[in-house]
């Protein structure tokens, strides 16, 4: 199918809803100081078709609207929208194709998380909130050039080794986070920057104390199965 009008009504309805959702979530990146100027992007995969909604390339956040969001297939080919999709579209599409449980992806260049990425260091699991949210350390992925699906391939390869983590720090580039939907991935991006900042601050005081794998497992289990409303 080459245009959105070729898809069933239920798909077009979901696209309309996700355009609104994804546009609003980009404002959350600004709110949590995760992006500057036009860097970074949010996408969400449809549940009714193999399509995704993603930010247009190089458009400032204050100009984003639901109508400016771009719809592509899971090969990254544009299906609907007046703008060109994000330069990271091929990588988002790769992740969605190879991780079918993922329905939301966020990429930022947030300051402290990107600083860890620039050093090529995993963020050690030295905070209970890391055990909760990430199930351990936040891993660094390989260096890959922008503009193809290579970054997405690196994200998938890294998460296969760290299946509990919703975040990867792509070396010399910045964090990618995944989630059950785009809001979930935005939350992971905000949490990634928070712990990156806190662990960096702790290292200025001395050696950080890592949490044992057994306690990390207990923390993560409680967070997933007990914490919050069920």
């Amino acid at each position: 199918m080459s245009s959105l009008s070729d898809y069933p009504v239920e798909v077009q309805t979901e696209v309309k809803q996700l355009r609104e959702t994804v546009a609003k979530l980009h404002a959350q990146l600004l709110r949590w100081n995760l992006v500057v100027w036009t860097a970074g992007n949010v996408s969400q995969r449809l549940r009714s078709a193999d399509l995704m909604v993603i930010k247009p390339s190089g458009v400032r956040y204050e100009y984003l609207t639901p109508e400016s969001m771009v719809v592509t297939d899971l090969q990254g080919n544009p299906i609907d929208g007046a703008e060109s999709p994000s330069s990271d579209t091929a990588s988002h599409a790769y992740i969605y194709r190879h991780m079918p449980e993922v329905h939301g992806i966020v990429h930022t260049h947030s300051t402290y998380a990107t600083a860890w990425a620039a050093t090529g260091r995993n963020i050690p699991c030295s905070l209970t909130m890391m055990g909760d949210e990430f199930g351990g350390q936040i891993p660094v992925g390989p260096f890959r050039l922008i503009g193809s699906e290579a970054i997405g391939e690196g994200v998938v390869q890294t998460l296969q080794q760290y299946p509990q983590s919703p975040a990867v720090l792509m070396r010399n580039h910045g964090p990618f986070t995944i989630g059950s939907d785009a809001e979930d991935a935005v939350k992971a991006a905000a949490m990634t920057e928070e712990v990156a900042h806190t662990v960096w601050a702790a290292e200025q005081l001395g050696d950080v104390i890592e949490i044992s794998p057994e306690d990390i497992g207990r923390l993560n289990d409680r967070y997933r199965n007990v914490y919050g409303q069920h």
Side-chain angles (χ1 to χ4, degrees), residues 72-175:
T72 78
D73 63 21
L74 297 191
Q75 300 296 327
N77 301 307
I79 297 296
D80 193 67
E83 311 284 351
S84 298
S86 166
S87 60
D88 291 307
T89 296
S91 287
H92 283 241
Y94 185 94
I95 296 168
Y96 287 132
R97 291 199 312 273
H98 290 83
M99 301 185 74
E101 73 280 8
V102 171
H103 281 80
I105 299 170
V106 172
H107 169 50
T108 77
H109 299 157
S110 60
T111 302
Y112 287 89
T114 302
W116 285 89
T119 67
R121 294 176 58 196
N122 295 355
I123 303 177
C125 188
S126 51
L127 304 168
T128 58
M129 66 187 297
M130 290 186 69
D132 288 347
E133 185 72 28
F134 301 97
Q137 62 189 323
I138 301 178
V140 171
F143 174 74
R144 298 289 169 83
L145 292 175
I146 303 168
S148 72
E149 61 184 28
I151 290 176
E153 182 182 18
V155 169
V156 171
Q157 289 174 348
T158 305
L159 290 178
Q160 287 172 342
Q161 299 174 55
Y162 296 87
Q164 295 283 0
S165 179
V168 178
L169 310 177
M170 291 302 286
R171 186 166 64 82
N172 303 105
H173 186 44

Side-chain angles (χ1 to χ4, degrees), residues 187 222-230:
K187 175 193 174 186
R222 180 201 66 88
Y223 185 69
R224 293 179 182 277
N225 299 309
V226 178
Y227 176 79
Q229 305 300 314
H230 297 278

